[in-house]
Amino acid sequence: MKKPSKGLATRAIHGEPEPKPAGTPVVAPIYQSTTFANPVGTAEGVLYTRYGNTPNQLAIAQRLAALEGAEGALFLGSGMGATAMAHLAVLHPGDHLLSSNWIYGGTRRLFDEEFHRLGIDVSYVTPSDPRNWRRQLKKNTRAVFVEIVTNPLMRVVDIDYLATFCRELGISLLVDSTFATPVNCRPLEHGADIIIHSATKYLNGHSDVIAGAVVGDQPVVDEVRRLMMLWGPAIDPHQAWLVERGLKTLTVRMERHNANGLAFAQWAADHPAVDEVWYPGLKQHPDHEVAAQLLDGFGGMVALSLKGGPEAVQTVLKHLELVTHAPSLGGPESLVSVPRFTSHTGLSDAELDAQGITDSLMRVSLGIEDEQDIIADFEAALAKSKP
Ligand SMILES: *Cc1c(COP(=O)(O)O)cnc(C)c1O
């Protein structure tokens, strides 16, 4: 952990501020160059895009490390690339990973289809009862993986408990903090070892870049870099430049996402056609207390099911005009999807049912439009779904 000297918004814009001699561009240029002139007679100082050490890549890495209060960070070509490399940095054939059961479908497939093939054993724990973690512990357990705010039911996992649990066992705690962002939670402050982001979502925040990041102590970040150099999932300079543009407005965007999330969840909770609403900022959410303790904001993601079931959901989706039916999240424009058909395809029907991911569950990514316009769009579409 590194103690930052400036506030979060300032760090998002400047990182560690540096003097700017006259003529310095206010916005850093894109160095769209794969290679750079090199000192003669040494292997030191080789800059190459796949090594993640070119100017645009370093700029965003420093910026994110500053936001998370970390020694180091590294951006990669996607959130999946970041997830894969972060785990491979701490797990070897013969090791066992304890993963939360409440995770992104792509991550689940990575563990089931690839880690198994690499000789890494993975067990899934339902975090609703913290005792479940210890129950599934094995002699060769080397790491725990959780999403702090989960997809799609916005469950909040108690990482304070898990950090103590992992420290006691001397194993690594990896936290996917995509839904929280450093604005709503900084997992290193709670004792996590490694943070993973799909920067595709809020960090870039404009629905126009695929990127990921790994954050932690320098030795871990160095190991992730070594793996990235060999396996290859680096981020392109132009993508990195776009991420820097996005990061500058992270704090104000998150404040608006948080406000719209809460307003929308409260509206949905009072609507007669809505069956259930899942938002950690609502008192009735099962993790409201943990969320209030861990999070500085409850986020812009809300899940809801309708009394009219899947038919009503489809009618609503067809009649929304402002809100787009599309997967992904974290951009300025509001999106809605049915996780059973998007982020969670690949799970069995039994598993989806067990997790409550039904075909009448919609997930809304609240954008940063005016809240009354988003709500009015849903209000009008819901009126069409009345039998
Ligand atoms: C989207 C997402 C990922 C995967 O990220 P990509 O950038 O699409 O590769 C991983 N974890 C979570 C929580 C996500 O939402």
Side-chain angles (χ1 to χ4, degrees):
M1 289 235 34
K2 235 174 116 178
K3 193 120 192 82
S5 65
K6 297 277 189 295
L8 208 62
T10 308
R11 276 179 272 154
I13 296 163
H14 299 284
E16 284 301 324
E18 284 172 5
K20 292 184 188 64
T24 307
V26 168
V27 175
I30 310 174
Y31 293 86
Q32 193 71 40
S33 181
T34 51
T35 186
F36 293 75
N38 209 44
V40 176
T42 167
E44 298 294 310
V46 175
L47 304 190
Y48 189 58
T49 301
R50 179 162 43 75
Y51 296 1
N53 59 4
T54 66
N56 298 106
Q57 296 170 321
L58 289 179
I60 54 174
Q62 285 160 0
R63 197 73 53 91
L64 182 60
L67 287 171
E68 293 282 14
E71 269 179 28
L74 180 69
F75 273 82
L76 296 93
S78 70
M80 287 306 297
T83 304
M85 297 301 110
H87 282 87
L88 293 182
V90 295
L91 294 167
H92 299 96
D95 287 349
H96 174 239
L97 169 70
L98 271 182
S99 169
S100 165
N101 207 10
W102 302 332
I103 57 172
Y104 175 66
T107 306
R108 175 88 182 212
R109 288 189 56 194
L110 173 72
F111 293 164
D112 289 347
E113 295 174 26
E114 297 302 305
F115 281 25
H116 185 69
R117 202 163 65 88
L118 297 174
I120 298 166
D121 180 22
V122 185
S123 305
Y124 297 98
V125 175
T126 302
S128 47
D129 181 351
R131 285 170 298 186
N132 291 345
W133 293 99
R134 201 169 292 277
R135 285 192 191 113
Q136 298 211 44
L137 200 60
K138 297 187 184 181
K139 272 207 188 72
N140 55 342
T141 305
R142 291 286 171 270
V144 167
F145 170 74
V146 296
E147 290 177 12
I148 179 166
V149 181
T150 76
N151 183 11
L153 297 179
M154 313 309 144
R155 300 299 303 259
V156 180
V157 177
D158 185 353
I159 57 168
D160 284 329
Y161 170 84
L162 280 173
T164 311
F165 174 76
C166 289
R167 201 172 311 121
E168 183 191 305
L169 295 163
I171 64 178
S172 304
L173 175 58
L174 297 96
V175 175
D176 182 327
S177 194
T178 298
F179 277 41
T181 81
V183 177
N184 287 346
C185 184
R186 290 153 309 281
L188 297 188
E189 291 175 4
H190 296 272
D193 298 297
I194 300 175
I195 304 169
I196 298 164
H197 284 286
S198 168
T200 308
K201 317 295 167 53
Y202 291 110
L203 293 188
N204 176 63
H206 289 72
S207 316
D208 53 10
V209 167
I210 295 283
V214 180
V215 185
D217 286 347
Q218 201 58 52
V220 165
V221 172
D222 289 345
E223 177 61 6
V224 174
R225 185 188 308 281
R226 188 187 71 82
L227 292 166
M228 184 179 80
M229 287 166 73
L230 298 178
W231 292 66
I235 187 171
D236 169 84
H238 183 234
Q239 309 285 82
W241 182 85
L242 284 167
V243 169
E244 184 181 0
R245 175 278 323 254
L247 280 175
K248 290 181 188 179
T249 55
L250 180 67
T251 54
V252 284
R253 283 188 290 105
M254 287 314 294
E255 282 162 19
R256 181 66 159 247
H257 286 298
N258 288 340
N260 282 355
L262 186 61
F264 182 82
Q266 283 168 340
W267 163 79
D270 287 340
H271 198 286
V274 173
D275 186 22
E276 277 191 287
V277 184
W278 300 83
Y279 186 71
L282 295 181
K283 285 212 172 57
Q284 65 263 37
H285 190 279
D287 305 316
H288 178 64
E289 263 175 52
V290 184
Q293 220 173 333
L294 284 178
L295 306 178
D296 295 336
F298 298 113
M301 299 297 296
V302 179
L304 65 158
S305 60
L306 299 182
K307 287 184 181 144
E311 275 166 38
V313 166
Q314 282 175 28
T315 307
V316 167
L317 295 179
K318 282 181 192 145
H319 287 93
L320 287 167
E321 289 178 358
L322 178 72
V323 180
T324 304
H325 178 230
S328 201
L329 62 121
E333 51 291 293
S334 294
L335 303 177
V336 59
S337 65
V338 176
R340 195 165 175 118
F341 304 131
T342 54
S343 55
H344 287 69
T345 52
L347 271 74
S348 69
D349 285 349
E351 185 56 43
L352 288 163
D353 291 339
Q355 288 194 34
I357 305 171
T358 65
D359 51 7
S360 51
L361 187 79
M362 291 187 279
R363 187 194 75 175
V364 185
S365 168
L366 278 300
I368 57 173
E369 303 98 336
D370 295 289
E371 69 183 47
Q372 67 270 23
D373 292 331
I374 304 168
I375 290 171
D377 198 32
F378 269 91
E379 194 78 69
L382 274 170
K384 296 274 205 281
S385 76
K386 289 229 178 77

